[in-house]
Amino acid sequence: MKNIDEIRADFPILGRRVYDKPLVYLDNGATTQKPRVVIDALADVYLSYNANIHRGVHHLSDIASEAYENSRETVRSFINAEKREEVVFTSGTTGSINGLAFSIGERFVNKGDEIILSHLEHHANIVPWQMMCERKGAIIKVIPVDDNGDIIFEEYLRLLSSRTKLVSITQVSNAIGTVLPVNEIIAAAHTLNIPVMIDGAQGIQHGVVDVREMDCDFYVFSGHKVYGPNGIGCLYGKEKWLSELPPFQGGGDMVDQVTFEKTTYNELPFKFEAGTTDYPAAIGLATALGYVTSIGRNYIEQREKELLSYATERLLSIKGLKIYGNSARKISTISFLLEGIHQYDTGMILDKMGIAVRTGTHCAQPVMKRYGIDGTVRASLCFYNTNQEIDTLAAGIEKVIKMFA
Ligand code: PLP
């Protein structure tokens, strides 16, 4: 088991300075930093075996294709999907949801049908469904949230009906940290045979994800939020759904036979992987998942719980600081405001102290509106953060308050 210094040493960027102060990186919800093994894996592709996958008969293409398909197997095992065919590489969560919204819309949605979302969704899990609903004449229904930031389950049950074509829900709110009761949400939808998509963009990096145990029909996530490279992500789908859905992009590799009259499609998962995918990033993602496994997902979950509880207590001791999102089930993300001080001012002053936090609406305007605010400061912590960094944040916030006093 590595100690925290050894873990931090795995992430070269954490050792850098910003404005001549040690970097305190608390913006992990936006993107995580990369361990050296991931950077090395990417470099290794380009340095020693770069070639387009699934195309050539030559040696390098064979190695790259094998590494890419092994990466798919790593993802399958990480999320415990039943089959490799159920794991589609995409450009990320946004790419996955846009693709799925198109395919589901084309195949299953008609005028007057409904899609259920929650009030906690990231724009990436709102706008693609809206675009599809506009095309198809369908309607979005929204599960409300209470003052703590929990969805109101009875309202959800009321929304489910024979008109519901899909429930698309985040596993964890990126804006306020709530962990949603996805197992219960899925079970309730399944009593009416309604499929459920889980947006795992903020879920996969914080603990064990088991799509079979969850029984979700689709699960999507981004590599860059789980210590992997940018530009890669996944769309997991149960085979029975993926085989029924039409592809969302056409091009090379996703086809079987092409004539000018008609095209037949490749088998799963290639039907959904048109064109040259970012195979180096897929290989980097698999390396990141391997790294996470080596640290231990149970360890990560436990350590982040400790960080959340330390940070919550520390920040709540600051007079004039209000936390938004007080669910009993939260990941290590704290959204807050300082009385009378705009979030941008807070964020910009903290930045000058080397502390990186996110400010604004966090691409979740509806939930900000729900609480009558136009944004927050968000500190999103992960297992490589330390209590000392939380102390630095708290001291920085005290300084901000003094400056505005
Ligand atoms: N869904 C949630 C809950 C997110 O937090 C994010 C990004 O912050 C996304 C979707 C979109 O992810 P990406 O920008 O990697 O596609």
Side-chain angles (χ1 to χ4, degrees):
M1 183 70 220
K2 288 181 177 176
N3 66 34
I4 184 68
D5 292 334
E6 290 166 330
I7 288 175
R8 287 180 67 83
D10 288 339
F11 294 81
I13 204 171
L14 296 181
R16 72 158 286 172
R17 296 174 76 81
V18 171
Y19 307 120
D20 208 26
K21 309 215 167 47
L23 168 69
V24 175
Y25 187 76
L26 306 179
D27 196 16
N28 296 290
T31 200
T32 52
Q33 298 303 350
K34 319 303 169 200
R36 189 181 292 280
V37 283
V38 169
I39 300 164
D40 287 348
L42 284 174
D44 192 36
V45 177
Y46 291 117
L47 289 171
S48 52
Y49 61 92
N50 180 46
N52 208 330
I53 51 167
H54 302 152
R55 307 273 201 295
V57 287
H58 59 80
H59 186 63
L60 294 192
S61 180
D62 275 350
I63 301 176
S65 303
E66 196 181 330
Y68 181 71
E69 290 308 322
N70 288 344
S71 303
R72 195 188 308 279
E73 170 56 23
T74 303
V75 175
R76 184 208 63 72
S77 146
F78 195 81
I79 61 173
N80 197 28
E82 191 183 344
K83 299 175 181 168
R84 286 167 45 162
E85 290 76 5
E86 297 175 324
V87 174
V88 175
F89 282 118
T90 64
S91 60
T93 306
T94 303
S96 298
I97 301 178
N98 274 279
L100 195 59
F102 176 84
S103 296
I104 287 196
E106 289 306 292
R107 177 73 181 78
F108 291 115
V109 180
N110 294 306
K111 198 169 164 34
D113 286 342
E114 295 174 357
I115 306 289
I116 297 181
L117 311 176
S118 88
H119 214 124
L120 291 169
E121 302 310 316
H122 185 282
H123 299 160
N125 195 27
I126 300 175
V127 185
W129 300 112
Q130 252 167 4
M131 290 161 67
M132 182 274 280
C133 285
E134 270 168 29
R135 244 186 12 254
K136 293 282 163 179
I139 298 155
I140 286 175
K141 296 278 173 178
V142 183
I143 312 168
V145 290
D146 65 17
D147 289 345
N148 282 334
D150 287 308
I151 61 153
I152 304 174
F153 203 81
E154 308 75 66
E155 296 290 334
Y156 164 58
L157 295 181
R158 258 196 279 280
L159 292 178
L160 288 169
S161 80
S162 58
R163 289 184 302 279
T164 313
K165 284 292 140 94
L166 181 83
V167 177
S168 187
I169 290 285
T170 195
Q171 189 177 9
V172 171
S173 156
N174 69 309
I176 60 170
T178 310
V179 176
L180 281 82
V182 288
N183 289 4
E184 291 80 356
I185 290 172
I186 293 163
H190 283 178
T191 60
L192 294 174
N193 294 322
I194 299 164
V196 180
M197 188 212 88
I198 300 296
D199 173 353
Q202 299 290 340
I204 191 142
Q205 63 281 58
H206 295 294
V208 177
V209 165
D210 182 330
V211 292
R212 269 190 281 176
E213 197 235 355
M214 214 188 278
D215 199 26
C216 54
D217 301 278
F218 304 99
Y219 187 90
V220 299
F221 69 93
S222 299
H224 72 99
K225 294 194 196 279
V226 60
Y227 312 101
N230 290 332
I232 191 78
C234 281
L235 161 61
Y236 157 81
K238 282 183 183 164
E239 189 181 26
K240 70 168 179 176
W241 291 113
L242 290 186
S243 50
E244 277 213 42
L245 290 174
F248 41 78
Q249 278 191 321
D253 222 23
M254 52 77 73
V255 294
D256 176 26
Q257 297 292 322
V258 181
T259 65
F260 284 109
E261 290 71 39
K262 184 163 174 60
T263 292
T264 54
Y265 302 130
N266 203 341
E267 60 200 22
L268 289 177
F270 310 112
K271 179 172 95 173
F272 293 104
E273 291 181 359
T276 302
T277 54
D278 194 341
Y279 55 91
I283 294 163
L285 170 59
T287 309
L289 300 182
Y291 177 80
V292 167
T293 305
S294 76
I295 295 294
R297 287 192 274 174
N298 290 320
Y299 166 81
I300 289 175
E301 197 171 345
Q302 189 48 39
R303 176 67 195 131
E304 291 180 351
K305 270 195 185 130
E306 288 163 14
L307 284 167
L308 173 67
S309 120
Y310 184 72
T312 306
E313 197 179 317
R314 199 74 180 73
L315 296 196
L316 280 180
S317 72
I318 299 172
K319 208 164 154 266
L321 184 148
K322 178 171 176 189
I323 292 180
Y324 289 84
N326 295 298
S327 169
R329 284 159 43 106
K330 268 183 79 169
I331 47 133
S332 45
T333 284
I334 303 188
S335 239
F336 65 91
L337 283 175
L338 304 177
E339 200 180 334
I341 305 174
H342 196 274
Q343 67 265 17
Y344 291 129
D345 293 329
T346 308
M348 277 166 62
I349 299 168
L350 289 174
D351 171 55
K352 296 294 176 289
M353 303 175 200
I355 304 168
V357 289
R358 173 103 184 250
T359 57
T361 62
H362 318 299
C363 296
Q365 288 176 20
V367 71
M368 294 293 124
K369 286 210 183 87
R370 162 66 181 81
Y371 295 110
I373 52 180
D374 63 359
T376 64
V377 183
R378 184 186 73 179
S380 46
L381 312 162
C382 77
F383 69 96
Y384 53 54
N385 290 125
T386 64
N387 288 13
Q388 202 185 350
E389 287 182 308
I390 293 166
D391 292 340
T392 307
L393 170 68
I397 293 171
E398 299 274 16
K399 267 193 206 150
V400 173
I401 294 172
K402 267 205 194 100
M403 285 173 71
F404 280 83

